[in-house]
């Protein structure tokens, strides 16, 4: 069972079985930086930190706005209810996907900080040990026909479970040592009722792949299947 901490304008939910000595300070970048807990950082839209807690690795993501809204506010979202916040939705969605046995990171903790009409949000997930993203594999010419078909099988699993990924791209797909594929970054994603939505995520993936130099159209065959 998850634990919940409510303190004035802060809402935290975490899994005590995953994070044994949980501290809300884990969401504080100054603190984790001073304590030497940051092991690496990935710069995408915002910054995602790989952190070490009691010898285990996690990823800490601060939700950043994209598109037009980003010009007005960097990380603040309009607050409606705790249940409707980005971190709560992604945390719950990842939990359902993980319980279905889909290859996704296990969620460990989330935070929502409200301020009048707005909030900021953070999420901590368990690290998926990996050898790189699909993007890295294509750039380094490490993709072969087995890997492409393994990616196809993985996508099919998500399609069968009616998972719509709102930002399927080559950097949100990870590959491990045993050539297993994982999907990450389920912000704004949900279970679809129309299969057409899955095609939409595949088209998004194809668009991201077409921008990579070494990409040789292998994905076309996979796409035909959806
Ligand atoms: N649980 C995880 N395990 C391993 N790598 C992760 C994990 N979560 C995020 N990452 C890495 O960090 C990157 C950025 O995280 P992501 O959730 O995609 O945030 P953003 O919204 O910035 O794209 C991912 O593309 C992936 O390389
Ligand atoms: Mg991402």
């Amino acid at each position: 069972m998850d634990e919940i901490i409510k303190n004035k304008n802060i809402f935290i939910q975490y899994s005590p079985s995953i994070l044994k000595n949980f501290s809300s300070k884990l969401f504080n970048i100054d603190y984790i930086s001073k304590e030497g807990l940051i092991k690496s950082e990935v710069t995408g839209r915002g910054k995602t930190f790989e952190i070490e807690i009691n010898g285990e690795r996690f990823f800490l993501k601060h939700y950043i706005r994209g598109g037009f809204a980003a010009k007005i506010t960097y990380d603040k979202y309009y607050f409606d209810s705790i249940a409707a916040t980005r971190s709560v939705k992604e945390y719950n969605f990842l939990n359902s996907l993980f319980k279905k046995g889909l290859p996704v990171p296990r969620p460990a903790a989330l935070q929502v900080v409200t301020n009048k009409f707005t909030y900021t949000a953070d999420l901590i997930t368990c690290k998926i040990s990996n050898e790189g993203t699909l993007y890295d594999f294509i750039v380094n010419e490490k993709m072969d026909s087995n890997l492409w078909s393994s990616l196809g099988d993985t996508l099919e699993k998500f399609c069968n479970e009616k998972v719509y990924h709102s930002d399927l791209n080559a950097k949100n797909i990870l590959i491990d040592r045993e050539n297993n594929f994982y999907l990450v970054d389920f912000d704004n994603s949900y279970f679809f009722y129309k299969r057409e939505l899955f095609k939409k995520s595949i088209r998004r993936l194809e668009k991201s792949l077409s921008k990579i130099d070494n990409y040789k159209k292998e994905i076309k065959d996979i796409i035909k299947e959806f």
Side-chain angles (χ1 to χ4, degrees):
M1 271 293 272
D2 280 359
E3 297 274 340
I4 286 173
I5 303 172
K6 283 186 207 163
N7 185 357
K8 288 183 203 152
N9 61 329
I10 299 179
F11 176 93
I12 287 171
Q13 183 173 341
Y14 71 96
S15 162
S17 57
I18 301 176
L19 285 169
K20 283 171 197 79
N21 304 311
F22 176 81
S23 159
S24 58
K25 288 184 190 153
L26 292 172
F27 290 110
N28 182 328
I29 305 296
D30 288 340
Y31 171 81
I32 57 172
S33 168
K34 275 194 202 115
E35 293 294 310
L37 304 181
I38 299 179
K39 298 300 165 194
S40 72
E41 49 187 76
V42 186
T43 310
R45 202 191 288 166
K47 267 203 180 109
T48 303
F49 297 97
E50 178 179 355
I51 56 177
E52 190 171 289
I53 310 167
N54 303 329
E56 285 179 64
R57 296 289 172 104
F58 296 85
F59 272 79
L60 166 64
K61 164 163 84 172
H62 185 65
Y63 288 78
I64 302 296
R65 305 219 53 156
F68 180 68
K71 292 196 170 67
I72 303 164
T73 159
Y74 172 67
D75 64 350
K76 289 184 180 60
Y77 296 84
Y78 174 72
F79 182 74
D80 180 41
S81 65
I82 288 291
T85 57
R86 309 298 273 238
S87 51
V88 168
K89 287 203 292 188
E90 186 167 356
Y91 184 99
N92 290 337
F93 195 53
L94 282 175
N95 254 335
S96 343
L97 302 184
F98 188 81
K99 282 178 192 150
K100 285 176 186 290
L102 288 168
V104 299
R106 201 171 172 199
L110 71 90
Q111 174 176 253
V112 176
V113 180
T114 56
N115 183 359
K116 290 186 185 148
F117 303 113
T118 63
Y119 73 91
T120 57
D122 303 274
L123 178 72
I124 298 176
T125 52
C126 300
K127 178 182 177 174
I128 288 174
S129 292
N130 66 88
E131 298 292 299
T133 62
L134 174 61
Y135 177 89
D136 302 327
F137 269 59
I138 296 176
V139 168
N140 298 314
E141 300 194 32
K142 280 158 79 179
M143 286 302 285
D144 58 26
S145 55
N146 280 339
L147 282 168
W148 281 112
S149 83
S150 168
L151 171 62
D153 294 345
T154 307
L155 293 175
E156 200 177 324
K157 280 186 202 152
F158 283 89
C159 183
N160 291 342
E161 294 291 349
K162 302 190 184 316
V163 177
Y164 170 64
H165 192 299
S166 75
D167 190 18
L168 196 59
N169 67 58
K171 290 184 179 168
N172 284 336
I173 299 178
L174 304 177
I175 306 165
D176 76 7
R177 221 174 251 260
E178 279 87 43
N179 292 343
N180 298 308
F181 284 74
Y182 300 81
L183 301 193
V184 299
D185 200 358
F186 285 86
D187 180 23
N188 236 347
S189 303
Y190 46 84
F191 291 112
F192 65 78
Y193 54 94
K194 272 191 194 161
R195 204 186 160 88
E196 186 52 36
L197 268 173
F198 195 80
K199 287 189 186 152
K200 194 175 156 192
S201 23
I202 296 288
R203 278 197 298 274
R204 201 178 170 94
L205 173 62
E206 192 187 17
K207 202 171 149 198
S208 101
L209 295 177
S210 65
K211 292 180 193 153
I212 309 174
D213 280 351
N214 283 339
Y215 164 61
K216 298 188 182 71
K217 306 255 179 295
E218 281 91 342
I219 194 90
K220 288 261 187 273
D221 294 336
I222 295 174
I223 284 167
K224 265 186 239 147
E225 291 167 26
F226 293 102

